[in-house]
Amino acid sequence: MSGEYKGIIFDLDGVITETSEYHYQSWQRMADEEGLEFNREINENLRGVSRRRSLEIILNGKDLSEEEMKRLMDKKNGYYQEYLKDMDENDMLPGAQELINDALDKGFKLAIASSSKNAKTVISALKIRDLFETISDGHSVENPKPAPDLFLFTAEKLRLSSEQCIVFEDAEAGIDAANAANMLSVGIGPEDRVGHADFRFDKVKDVDLEIILKGEN
Ligand code: BG6
Ligand code: MG
């Protein structure tokens, strides 16, 4: 075990698996049916944020009753869960399993911290539950990313301080949350999305733990 880092906290959607495309397709279908403006560009702002906040972004200031909000969120979630039924262990992103294995070999404690209320279903479809000490999801804390709460909660479950944790995230809101939690942030994705991370790689398969641990950014 090298250095001061002892834990790695992984975001799920967009880091371990490509469910972000399923989230997008489900929002698009709901929006088309409801006559709401939505496209891939708007979708970029939805990465990593909660279901409710995602709908608020799509509504763009349009005021709906709580009942109507719930109907639209349920509709999107129903479509999303249809995609999840077909998921299996082949749906890991390229390089994700290797990164997890490398982190375990190096002696890190691993956790998942996802904004999704469907995280446990996804993890069980991927058959990766046993690799992680703890799973935090959309039910774990009140304040979603970009608030630091989910990562702080997860570090506590790992019995580690913020300074001992490295976070892997594909979302702007997720990097904001990791930085606010005082953890080492590693962004997966383009500069304009995760350029504010301590380290950045284009894809999960490009991640090199050695580079991160040596502090060569
Ligand atoms: C995040 C995704 O992991 O979970 C977001 O990046 C999604 O796109 C959020 O909106 C909430 O997911 P769910 O499954 O609770 O609707
Ligand atoms: Mg994500």
Side-chain angles (χ1 to χ4, degrees):
M1 180 90 238
S2 61
E4 72 261 48
Y5 297 109
K6 299 203 180 317
I8 300 188
I9 304 177
F10 292 88
D11 173 49
L12 178 65
D13 297 325
V15 171
I16 289 180
T17 179
E18 199 41 311
T19 34
S20 23
E21 180 63 18
Y22 300 157
H23 279 293
Y24 163 67
Q25 293 291 347
S26 310
W27 283 122
Q28 187 70 65
R29 185 169 165 196
M30 183 285 284
D32 289 348
E33 285 173 8
E34 299 290 332
L36 296 166
E37 192 197 337
F38 189 60
N39 51 45
R40 280 194 186 270
E41 203 182 323
I42 302 173
N43 184 63
E44 277 304 296
N45 303 320
L46 269 50
R47 236 172 231 274
V49 306
S50 69
R51 196 180 307 166
R52 179 172 292 272
R53 183 70 198 121
S54 299
L55 179 57
E56 284 168 359
I57 292 169
I58 294 171
L59 291 174
N60 193 22
K62 192 170 169 195
D63 201 20
L64 293 187
S65 67
E66 176 56 27
E67 198 183 1
E68 192 61 359
M69 292 278 290
K70 197 165 174 328
R71 184 180 71 79
L72 298 186
M73 287 189 287
D74 286 351
K75 190 179 219 189
K76 180 268 174 177
N77 196 45
Y79 296 149
Y80 181 62
Q81 288 180 336
E82 280 177 28
Y83 283 110
L84 297 189
K85 282 188 197 144
D86 295 327
M87 271 189 93
D88 61 24
E89 55 269 49
N90 298 314
D91 286 293
M92 298 280 282
L93 268 170
Q97 187 65 62
E98 290 78 0
L99 176 59
I100 292 167
N101 292 346
D102 190 21
L104 287 171
D105 286 347
K106 287 183 162 62
F108 284 98
K109 293 179 172 196
L110 307 190
I112 287 177
S114 166
S115 304
S116 174
K117 293 184 171 159
N118 291 293
K120 286 188 177 147
T121 308
V122 172
I123 289 161
S124 108
L126 296 173
K127 300 192 179 61
I128 54 171
R129 174 62 189 93
D130 294 346
L131 305 176
F132 300 91
E133 289 209 11
T134 183
I135 310 284
S136 311
D137 64 12
H139 301 281
S140 302
V141 298
E142 196 117 328
N143 293 327
K145 301 170 191 175
D149 303 35
L150 190 68
F151 290 133
L152 296 173
F153 175 87
T154 308
E156 209 174 302
K157 288 269 204 82
L158 288 174
R159 295 178 306 280
L160 296 175
S161 68
S162 288
E163 293 74 19
Q164 291 175 313
C165 294
I166 302 172
V167 172
F168 284 92
E169 257 292 349
D170 70 310
E172 182 176 353
I175 297 297
D176 288 340
N179 289 345
N182 257 322
M183 298 179 181
L184 188 82
S185 56
V186 183
I188 310 291
E191 178 77 29
D192 61 354
R193 193 169 82 209
V194 292
H196 53 318
D198 295 310
F199 289 85
R200 187 191 69 79
F201 298 90
D202 286 329
K203 303 233 179 279
V204 185
K205 64 175 167 46
D206 302 328
V207 173
D208 186 338
L209 259 185
E210 297 293 343
I211 290 180
I212 298 168
L213 296 175
K214 283 187 198 140
E216 292 168 0
N217 61 346

